[in-house]
Amino acid sequence: MEWVAPGRLLVSSATTPRELSRLFSRADTVQWREPLPEALLRSLAGSLAKRPEVEVYVYGHDGQTLPSDLSFLAGLEHVQRLSLNLRGVLEGADGLERFRDLRVLSL
């Protein structure tokens, strides 16, 4: 896990929930480019429930096909800002209907 710009936190599959909880309070954006372990995704969901205004930015995932139901974002349905830069990887975006609190969406 590293800061890639002021307020922009890059999370990886090697990030621990403890590391995330320690740094999340300073983040304006949380981003990742690879599948995250379930425990980390749950921790992230808990942190975002307390600060739903933090942007979620998902990109990369090269060589994978991600489902249109957006199940890889399970637990994050309460976020207000979502950016998905998954061109050629995402099968569709049918799962967006679950994201009822979105104020900003970038595809």
Side-chain angles (χ1 to χ4, degrees), residues 27-104:
D28 298 318
T29 300
V30 176
Q31 65 184 51
W32 64 93
R33 61 180 169 233
E34 61 189 358
L36 297 180
E38 193 172 313
L40 181 57
L41 198 55
R42 278 194 310 270
S43 179
L44 182 58
S47 295
L48 285 163
K50 296 173 188 162
R51 294 190 58 222
E53 73 281 0
V54 172
E55 178 185 12
V56 171
Y57 176 58
V58 184
Y59 65 105
H61 290 73
D62 297 332
Q64 298 178 26
T65 301
L66 299 176
S68 64
D69 67 0
L70 305 181
S71 55
F72 61 96
L73 297 175
L76 305 181
E77 292 83 2
H78 54 276
V79 299
Q80 295 174 359
R81 297 170 53 213
L82 179 62
S83 295
L84 301 175
N85 187 355
L86 299 167
R87 192 166 298 129
V89 176
L90 189 60
E91 291 181 331
D94 302 333
L96 283 174
E97 64 190 25
R98 294 190 333 268
F99 291 78
R100 305 263 181 207
D101 297 329
L102 280 180
R103 294 185 180 169
V104 177

Coordinates of all heavy atoms in Angstrom, one line a residue, residues 27-104:
A27 N -7.3 9.5 3.3 CA -7.5 9.3 1.9 C -8.7 10.0 1.4 O -9.7 10.1 2.0 CB -7.7 7.8 1.6
D28 N -8.5 10.6 0.2 CA -9.6 11.2 -0.5 C -10.1 10.2 -1.6 O -11.3 10.2 -2.0 CB -9.2 12.5 -1.2 CG -8.8 13.5 -0.2 OD1 -9.5 13.7 0.8 OD2 -7.8 14.2 -0.5
T29 N -9.2 9.3 -2.1 CA -9.4 8.3 -3.1 C -8.7 7.1 -2.7 O -7.5 7.1 -2.2 CB -8.9 8.8 -4.5 OG1 -9.5 10.0 -4.8 CG2 -9.1 7.7 -5.5
V30 N -9.4 5.9 -2.8 CA -8.7 4.6 -2.6 C -8.8 3.9 -4.0 O -9.9 3.9 -4.6 CB -9.5 3.8 -1.6 CG1 -8.9 2.4 -1.4 CG2 -9.4 4.5 -0.2
Q31 N -7.7 3.4 -4.4 CA -7.7 2.8 -5.8 C -6.9 1.4 -5.7 O -6.1 1.2 -4.8 CB -7.0 3.7 -6.8 CG -5.5 3.9 -6.5 CD -4.9 4.9 -7.5 OE1 -5.5 6.0 -7.7 NE2 -3.8 4.6 -8.1
W32 N -7.3 0.6 -6.6 CA -6.6 -0.7 -6.8 C -6.8 -1.2 -8.2 O -7.7 -0.8 -8.9 CB -7.1 -1.8 -5.8 CG -8.5 -2.2 -5.9 CD1 -9.0 -3.3 -6.6 CD2 -9.6 -1.6 -5.3 NE1 -10.3 -3.4 -6.4 CE2 -10.8 -2.4 -5.6 CE3 -9.8 -0.5 -4.4 CZ2 -12.0 -2.1 -5.2 CZ3 -11.1 -0.2 -4.0 CH2 -12.2 -1.0 -4.3
R33 N -5.8 -2.1 -8.6 CA -5.7 -2.5 -10.0 C -5.7 -4.0 -10.1 O -5.5 -4.6 -11.2 CB -4.5 -1.9 -10.7 CG -3.2 -2.4 -10.0 CD -2.0 -1.8 -10.8 NE -0.8 -2.0 -10.0 CZ 0.0 -1.0 -9.6 NH1 -0.2 0.2 -10.0 NH2 1.1 -1.3 -8.9
E34 N -6.0 -4.7 -9.1 CA -6.0 -6.2 -9.0 C -7.0 -6.7 -8.1 O -7.5 -5.9 -7.2 CB -4.6 -6.7 -8.6 CG -4.2 -6.2 -7.2 CD -2.8 -6.5 -6.8 OE1 -2.1 -7.1 -7.5 OE2 -2.4 -6.2 -5.6
P35 N -7.5 -7.9 -8.2 CA -8.5 -8.4 -7.2 C -7.9 -8.3 -5.8 O -6.7 -8.6 -5.5 CB -8.6 -9.9 -7.6 CG -8.2 -9.9 -9.1 CD -7.1 -8.9 -9.2
L36 N -8.8 -7.9 -4.9 CA -8.4 -7.8 -3.5 C -8.9 -9.0 -2.7 O -10.0 -9.5 -3.0 CB -9.0 -6.5 -2.9 CG -8.5 -5.2 -3.5 CD1 -9.2 -4.1 -2.8 CD2 -7.0 -5.1 -3.4
P37 N -8.2 -9.5 -1.7 CA -8.6 -10.6 -0.9 C -9.9 -10.2 -0.2 O -10.2 -9.0 0.2 CB -7.5 -10.8 0.1 CG -6.3 -10.1 -0.5 CD -6.8 -9.0 -1.3
E38 N -10.8 -11.2 0.1 CA -12.1 -10.9 0.7 C -12.0 -10.2 2.0 O -12.7 -9.3 2.3 CB -12.8 -12.3 0.9 CG -14.3 -12.1 1.2 CD -15.0 -13.4 1.2 OE1 -14.8 -14.2 0.3 OE2 -15.8 -13.6 2.2
A39 N -11.0 -10.6 2.9 CA -10.8 -9.9 4.2 C -10.5 -8.4 4.0 O -11.0 -7.6 4.7 CB -9.8 -10.6 5.0
L40 N -9.7 -8.1 3.0 CA -9.3 -6.7 2.8 C -10.5 -6.0 2.2 O -10.8 -4.8 2.6 CB -8.1 -6.6 1.8 CG -7.6 -5.2 1.5 CD1 -7.2 -4.5 2.7 CD2 -6.5 -5.3 0.5
L41 N -11.3 -6.6 1.3 CA -12.4 -5.9 0.8 C -13.5 -5.6 1.9 O -14.1 -4.6 1.9 CB -13.0 -6.8 -0.3 CG -14.0 -6.2 -1.3 CD1 -13.4 -4.9 -2.0 CD2 -14.5 -7.1 -2.3
R42 N -13.6 -6.6 2.8 CA -14.6 -6.3 3.9 C -14.1 -5.2 4.8 O -14.9 -4.3 5.2 CB -14.7 -7.6 4.8 CG -15.7 -8.6 4.3 CD -16.0 -9.7 5.3 NE -14.9 -10.3 5.9 CZ -14.2 -11.3 5.5 NH1 -14.6 -12.0 4.4 NH2 -13.2 -11.8 6.2
S43 N -12.8 -5.1 5.0 CA -12.2 -4.0 5.8 C -12.4 -2.7 5.1 O -12.8 -1.7 5.7 CB -10.7 -4.3 6.1 OG -10.1 -3.2 6.8
L44 N -12.2 -2.7 3.8 CA -12.4 -1.5 3.0 C -13.8 -1.1 3.0 O -14.2 0.1 3.2 CB -11.9 -1.7 1.6 CG -12.0 -0.6 0.6 CD1 -11.2 0.6 1.1 CD2 -11.5 -1.0 -0.8
A45 N -14.7 -2.0 2.9 CA -16.2 -1.7 3.0 C -16.5 -1.1 4.3 O -17.3 -0.1 4.4 CB -17.0 -3.0 2.8
G46 N -16.0 -1.6 5.4 CA -16.2 -1.0 6.7 C -15.7 0.4 6.8 O -16.4 1.3 7.4
S47 N -14.5 0.7 6.3 CA -14.0 2.0 6.3 C -14.8 3.0 5.5 O -15.0 4.1 5.9 CB -12.5 2.0 5.8 OG -11.7 1.3 6.7
L48 N -15.2 2.5 4.3 CA -16.0 3.3 3.4 C -17.4 3.6 4.0 O -18.0 4.6 3.6 CB -16.1 2.7 2.0 CG -14.8 2.8 1.2 CD1 -14.8 1.9 0.0 CD2 -14.6 4.3 0.7
A49 N -17.9 2.7 4.8 CA -19.2 2.9 5.4 C -19.2 4.2 6.3 O -20.2 4.9 6.4 CB -19.7 1.7 6.2
K50 N -18.0 4.4 6.9 CA -17.8 5.5 7.8 C -17.5 6.8 7.0 O -17.8 7.9 7.5 CB -16.7 5.2 8.8 CG -17.0 4.1 9.7 CD -15.8 3.7 10.6 CE -16.1 2.5 11.4 NZ -14.9 1.9 11.8
R51 N -16.9 6.6 5.8 CA -16.6 7.8 5.0 C -16.9 7.5 3.5 O -16.1 7.4 2.7 CB -15.0 8.1 5.1 CG -14.6 8.5 6.5 CD -13.2 9.0 6.5 NE -13.0 10.1 5.6 CZ -11.9 10.2 4.8 NH1 -10.9 9.3 4.8 NH2 -11.7 11.2 4.0
P52 N -18.2 7.5 3.3 CA -18.7 7.1 1.9 C -18.3 8.2 0.8 O -18.4 7.9 -0.4 CB -20.2 7.0 2.0 CG -20.5 7.9 3.2 CD -19.4 7.8 4.1
E53 N -17.8 9.3 1.2 CA -17.5 10.3 0.3 C -16.1 10.1 -0.4 O -15.7 10.7 -1.4 CB -17.4 11.7 0.9 CG -16.3 12.0 1.9 CD -16.4 11.4 3.3 OE1 -17.5 10.7 3.5 OE2 -15.5 11.6 4.1
V54 N -15.3 9.1 0.2 CA -14.0 8.7 -0.4 C -14.3 8.1 -1.7 O -15.1 7.1 -1.9 CB -13.2 7.8 0.6 CG1 -12.0 7.3 -0.1 CG2 -12.9 8.6 1.8
E55 N -13.6 8.5 -2.8 CA -13.7 8.0 -4.1 C -13.1 6.6 -4.2 O -12.1 6.3 -3.6 CB -13.0 8.8 -5.1 CG -13.1 8.3 -6.5 CD -12.3 9.1 -7.6 OE1 -11.5 9.9 -7.2 OE2 -12.5 8.8 -8.8
V56 N -13.8 5.7 -4.8 CA -13.3 4.3 -5.1 C -13.0 4.3 -6.6 O -13.8 4.6 -7.5 CB -14.4 3.2 -4.8 CG1 -13.9 1.9 -5.4 CG2 -14.6 3.2 -3.3
Y57 N -11.7 4.0 -6.9 CA -11.2 4.0 -8.3 C -10.6 2.6 -8.6 O -9.6 2.2 -7.9 CB -10.1 5.1 -8.5 CG -9.5 5.1 -9.8 CD1 -10.2 5.3 -11.0 CD2 -8.1 5.0 -10.0 CE1 -9.7 5.3 -12.2 CE2 -7.5 5.0 -11.2 CZ -8.3 5.2 -12.3 OH -7.7 5.2 -13.6
V58 N -11.2 1.9 -9.5 CA -10.8 0.6 -9.8 C -10.3 0.6 -11.3 O -11.1 1.1 -12.2 CB -11.9 -0.5 -9.6 CG1 -11.4 -1.9 -9.9 CG2 -12.5 -0.4 -8.2
Y59 N -9.2 0.1 -11.5 CA -8.6 0.1 -12.9 C -7.8 -1.2 -13.1 O -7.7 -2.0 -12.2 CB -7.8 1.3 -13.2 CG -6.5 1.4 -12.3 CD1 -5.3 1.2 -12.9 CD2 -6.6 1.7 -11.0 CE1 -4.1 1.2 -12.1 CE2 -5.4 1.8 -10.2 CZ -4.2 1.6 -10.8 OH -3.1 1.6 -10.0
G60 N -7.3 -1.4 -14.3 CA -6.4 -2.5 -14.6 C -7.1 -3.8 -14.7 O -8.0 -3.9 -15.5
H61 N -6.8 -4.7 -13.9 CA -7.3 -6.1 -13.9 C -7.1 -6.7 -15.3 O -7.9 -7.4 -15.8 CB -8.8 -6.1 -13.6 CG -9.1 -5.8 -12.1 ND1 -8.9 -4.6 -11.6 CD2 -9.5 -6.7 -11.1 CE1 -9.2 -4.6 -10.3 NE2 -9.6 -5.9 -10.0
D62 N -5.9 -6.4 -15.9 CA -5.6 -6.9 -17.3 C -5.6 -8.4 -17.3 O -5.2 -9.1 -16.4 CB -4.2 -6.4 -17.7 CG -4.2 -4.9 -17.8 OD1 -5.2 -4.3 -18.1 OD2 -3.1 -4.3 -17.6
G63 N -6.1 -8.9 -18.4 CA -6.2 -10.4 -18.6 C -7.3 -11.0 -17.9 O -7.4 -12.3 -17.9
Q64 N -8.2 -10.3 -17.3 CA -9.3 -10.9 -16.6 C -10.6 -10.4 -17.2 O -10.6 -9.4 -17.9 CB -9.3 -10.4 -15.1 CG -8.1 -10.9 -14.4 CD -8.1 -10.4 -12.9 OE1 -9.1 -10.1 -12.4 NE2 -6.9 -10.3 -12.4
T65 N -11.7 -11.1 -16.9 CA -13.0 -10.6 -17.3 C -13.8 -10.5 -16.1 O -14.0 -11.4 -15.3 CB -13.7 -11.7 -18.2 OG1 -12.9 -11.8 -19.4 CG2 -15.1 -11.2 -18.7
L66 N -14.3 -9.3 -15.8 CA -15.0 -9.0 -14.6 C -16.5 -9.0 -14.9 O -17.0 -8.5 -15.9 CB -14.6 -7.6 -14.0 CG -13.1 -7.5 -13.6 CD1 -12.8 -6.1 -13.2 CD2 -12.8 -8.5 -12.5
P67 N -17.3 -9.6 -14.0 CA -18.7 -9.7 -14.2 C -19.5 -8.4 -14.2 O -19.2 -7.5 -13.5 CB -19.2 -10.7 -13.1 CG -18.2 -10.4 -12.0 CD -16.9 -10.1 -12.7
S68 N -20.5 -8.3 -15.0 CA -21.4 -7.1 -15.1 C -22.2 -6.9 -13.9 O -22.6 -5.8 -13.6 CB -22.3 -7.2 -16.3 OG -23.2 -8.3 -16.2
D69 N -22.3 -7.9 -13.0 CA -23.1 -7.7 -11.8 C -22.2 -6.9 -10.7 O -22.7 -6.6 -9.6 CB -23.6 -9.0 -11.2 CG -22.5 -9.9 -10.7 OD1 -21.3 -9.6 -10.8 OD2 -22.8 -11.0 -10.2
L70 N -21.0 -6.7 -11.1 CA -20.0 -5.9 -10.2 C -19.8 -6.6 -8.8 O -19.6 -6.0 -7.8 CB -20.5 -4.5 -10.0 CG -20.7 -3.7 -11.3 CD1 -21.1 -2.3 -11.0 CD2 -19.4 -3.7 -12.2
S71 N -19.9 -7.9 -8.8 CA -19.8 -8.7 -7.6 C -18.4 -8.5 -6.9 O -18.2 -8.7 -5.7 CB -20.1 -10.2 -7.8 OG -19.3 -10.7 -8.8
F72 N -17.4 -8.1 -7.7 CA -16.1 -7.8 -7.2 C -16.1 -6.5 -6.3 O -15.1 -6.2 -5.7 CB -15.1 -7.7 -8.3 CG -15.3 -6.6 -9.3 CD1 -14.7 -5.4 -9.2 CD2 -16.2 -6.8 -10.4 CE1 -14.9 -4.4 -10.1 CE2 -16.4 -5.8 -11.3 CZ -15.8 -4.6 -11.1
L73 N -17.2 -5.8 -6.3 CA -17.3 -4.6 -5.5 C -18.4 -4.9 -4.3 O -18.9 -3.9 -3.8 CB -17.8 -3.4 -6.3 CG -16.8 -3.0 -7.4 CD1 -17.4 -1.8 -8.2 CD2 -15.5 -2.5 -6.7
A74 N -18.6 -6.1 -4.0 CA -19.6 -6.5 -3.0 C -19.3 -5.8 -1.7 O -18.1 -5.8 -1.3 CB -19.7 -8.0 -2.8
G75 N -20.3 -5.2 -1.1 CA -20.1 -4.5 0.2 C -19.8 -3.0 0.1 O -19.8 -2.3 1.0
L76 N -19.5 -2.6 -1.2 CA -19.2 -1.2 -1.4 C -20.4 -0.4 -2.0 O -20.2 0.7 -2.4 CB -18.0 -1.1 -2.3 CG -16.7 -1.8 -1.9 CD1 -15.6 -1.6 -2.9 CD2 -16.3 -1.4 -0.5
E77 N -21.6 -1.0 -1.9 CA -22.7 -0.3 -2.6 C -23.1 1.0 -2.0 O -23.9 1.8 -2.6 CB -23.9 -1.3 -2.5 CG -23.8 -2.5 -3.3 CD -23.0 -3.6 -2.6 OE1 -22.6 -3.5 -1.5 OE2 -22.8 -4.7 -3.3
H78 N -22.6 1.4 -0.9 CA -22.9 2.7 -0.2 C -22.0 3.8 -0.6 O -22.2 5.0 -0.2 CB -22.9 2.5 1.3 CG -21.6 1.9 1.7 ND1 -21.4 0.6 1.7 CD2 -20.5 2.5 2.2 CE1 -20.1 0.4 2.2 NE2 -19.6 1.5 2.4
V79 N -21.0 3.6 -1.5 CA -20.1 4.6 -1.9 C -20.8 5.7 -2.7 O -21.8 5.5 -3.3 CB -18.8 4.1 -2.6 CG1 -18.1 3.1 -1.8 CG2 -19.2 3.6 -4.0
Q80 N -20.3 6.9 -2.6 CA -20.9 8.1 -3.3 C -20.1 8.4 -4.6 O -20.7 9.0 -5.5 CB -20.9 9.3 -2.4 CG -21.8 9.1 -1.2 CD -21.7 10.2 -0.2 OE1 -20.9 11.2 -0.4 NE2 -22.4 10.1 0.9
R81 N -18.8 8.0 -4.6 CA -18.0 8.3 -5.8 C -17.3 7.1 -6.3 O -16.5 6.5 -5.6 CB -17.0 9.4 -5.4 CG -17.6 10.7 -5.0 CD -16.6 11.7 -4.4 NE -15.5 11.9 -5.3 CZ -14.3 12.2 -4.8 NH1 -14.0 12.2 -3.5 NH2 -13.3 12.4 -5.6
L82 N -17.6 6.7 -7.5 CA -17.1 5.4 -8.1 C -16.6 5.7 -9.5 O -17.2 6.2 -10.3 CB -18.2 4.4 -8.2 CG -17.9 3.0 -8.7 CD1 -16.8 2.3 -7.9 CD2 -19.1 2.1 -8.8
S83 N -15.3 5.3 -9.7 CA -14.7 5.4 -11.0 C -14.2 4.0 -11.4 O -13.4 3.3 -10.7 CB -13.5 6.3 -11.0 OG -13.9 7.6 -10.7
L84 N -14.7 3.5 -12.6 CA -14.3 2.2 -13.1 C -13.6 2.4 -14.4 O -14.2 2.7 -15.4 CB -15.5 1.3 -13.3 CG -16.3 1.0 -12.0 CD1 -17.6 0.2 -12.3 CD2 -15.5 0.3 -11.0
N85 N -12.3 2.2 -14.4 CA -11.5 2.3 -15.7 C -11.1 0.9 -16.0 O -9.9 0.5 -15.8 CB -10.3 3.2 -15.4 CG -9.5 3.5 -16.7 OD1 -9.8 3.0 -17.7 ND2 -8.5 4.4 -16.6
L86 N -12.0 0.2 -16.6 CA -11.9 -1.2 -16.8 C -12.2 -1.6 -18.3 O -12.8 -2.6 -18.6 CB -12.7 -2.0 -15.9 CG -12.4 -1.9 -14.4 CD1 -13.5 -2.4 -13.5 CD2 -11.1 -2.5 -14.1
R87 N -11.8 -0.7 -19.2 CA -12.1 -0.9 -20.6 C -11.6 -2.2 -21.1 O -10.4 -2.6 -20.9 CB -11.5 0.2 -21.4 CG -11.9 0.3 -22.8 CD -11.6 1.6 -23.5 NE -12.3 2.7 -22.8 CZ -11.6 3.8 -22.4 NH1 -10.4 4.0 -22.6 NH2 -12.3 4.7 -21.8
G88 N -12.4 -3.0 -21.7 CA -12.0 -4.3 -22.3 C -12.0 -5.4 -21.3 O -11.7 -6.5 -21.6
V89 N -12.3 -5.1 -20.0 CA -12.2 -6.1 -19.0 C -13.6 -6.3 -18.3 O -13.9 -7.5 -18.0 CB -11.2 -5.6 -17.8 CG1 -11.2 -6.5 -16.7 CG2 -9.8 -5.5 -18.4
L90 N -14.4 -5.3 -18.3 CA -15.7 -5.4 -17.6 C -16.7 -5.8 -18.7 O -16.9 -5.2 -19.7 CB -16.0 -4.0 -17.1 CG -17.3 -3.9 -16.2 CD1 -17.2 -4.8 -15.0 CD2 -17.4 -2.4 -15.7
E91 N -17.5 -6.8 -18.4 CA -18.5 -7.4 -19.3 C -19.7 -6.4 -19.5 O -20.4 -6.5 -20.4 CB -19.0 -8.7 -18.8 CG -18.0 -9.8 -18.9 CD -18.5 -11.1 -18.5 OE1 -19.4 -11.2 -17.6 OE2 -18.1 -12.2 -19.0
G92 N -20.0 -5.6 -18.5 CA -21.1 -4.7 -18.5 C -21.2 -4.0 -17.1 O -20.3 -4.2 -16.3
A93 N -22.2 -3.3 -16.9 CA -22.4 -2.6 -15.6 C -23.8 -2.7 -15.0 O -24.3 -1.8 -14.4 CB -22.0 -1.1 -15.8
D94 N -24.4 -3.9 -15.3 CA -25.8 -4.1 -14.7 C -25.8 -3.9 -13.2 O -26.9 -3.5 -12.7 CB -26.2 -5.5 -15.1 CG -26.2 -5.7 -16.6 OD1 -26.4 -4.8 -17.4 OD2 -26.1 -6.9 -17.0
G95 N -24.8 -4.3 -12.5 CA -24.7 -4.2 -11.1 C -24.8 -2.8 -10.5 O -24.9 -2.6 -9.3
L96 N -24.7 -1.8 -11.3 CA -24.7 -0.4 -10.8 C -26.1 -0.1 -10.1 O -26.1 0.8 -9.3 CB -24.5 0.6 -11.9 CG -23.0 0.8 -12.4 CD1 -22.9 1.7 -13.6 CD2 -22.2 1.3 -11.2
E97 N -27.1 -0.8 -10.4 CA -28.4 -0.5 -9.8 C -28.4 -0.7 -8.3 O -29.2 -0.1 -7.6 CB -29.5 -1.4 -10.4 CG -29.3 -2.9 -10.2 CD -30.2 -3.7 -11.0 OE1 -30.7 -3.3 -12.0 OE2 -30.4 -4.9 -10.6
R98 N -27.4 -1.5 -7.8 CA -27.3 -1.7 -6.3 C -26.6 -0.5 -5.7 O -26.7 -0.3 -4.4 CB -26.4 -2.9 -6.1 CG -27.1 -4.2 -6.5 CD -26.3 -5.4 -5.9 NE -24.9 -5.3 -5.7 CZ -23.9 -5.5 -6.6 NH1 -24.2 -5.9 -7.8 NH2 -22.6 -5.3 -6.3
F99 N -26.0 0.4 -6.4 CA -25.2 1.5 -5.8 C -26.2 2.7 -5.8 O -26.1 3.7 -6.6 CB -24.0 1.8 -6.7 CG -23.0 0.8 -6.6 CD1 -23.1 -0.4 -7.3 CD2 -21.8 0.9 -5.8 CE1 -22.2 -1.4 -7.2 CE2 -20.9 -0.1 -5.7 CZ -21.0 -1.3 -6.4
R100 N -27.0 2.8 -4.7 CA -28.1 3.7 -4.6 C -27.6 5.1 -4.1 O -28.3 6.1 -4.3 CB -29.1 3.2 -3.6 CG -29.6 1.9 -4.0 CD -30.9 2.0 -4.7 NE -31.4 0.7 -5.0 CZ -32.2 0.4 -6.0 NH1 -32.6 1.4 -6.8 NH2 -32.7 -0.8 -6.2
D101 N -26.4 5.2 -3.6 CA -26.0 6.5 -3.0 C -25.0 7.2 -3.9 O -24.4 8.2 -3.5 CB -25.3 6.3 -1.6 CG -26.3 5.7 -0.6 OD1 -27.5 6.1 -0.7 OD2 -25.9 5.0 0.3
L102 N -24.8 6.7 -5.1 CA -23.8 7.4 -6.0 C -24.2 8.8 -6.3 O -25.3 9.1 -6.7 CB -23.7 6.6 -7.4 CG -22.9 5.3 -7.4 CD1 -22.9 4.7 -8.8 CD2 -21.5 5.6 -6.9
R103 N -23.2 9.7 -6.2 CA -23.3 11.1 -6.6 C -22.4 11.3 -7.9 O -22.8 12.2 -8.7 CB -22.9 12.0 -5.5 CG -23.8 11.9 -4.3 CD -23.5 12.9 -3.3 NE -24.4 12.8 -2.2 CZ -24.2 13.3 -1.0 NH1 -23.1 14.1 -0.8 NH2 -25.1 13.2 0.0
V104 N -21.3 10.6 -8.0 CA -20.4 10.7 -9.1 C -20.1 9.3 -9.6 O -19.7 8.5 -8.8 CB -19.1 11.5 -8.7 CG1 -18.1 11.6 -9.8 CG2 -19.4 12.8 -8.1

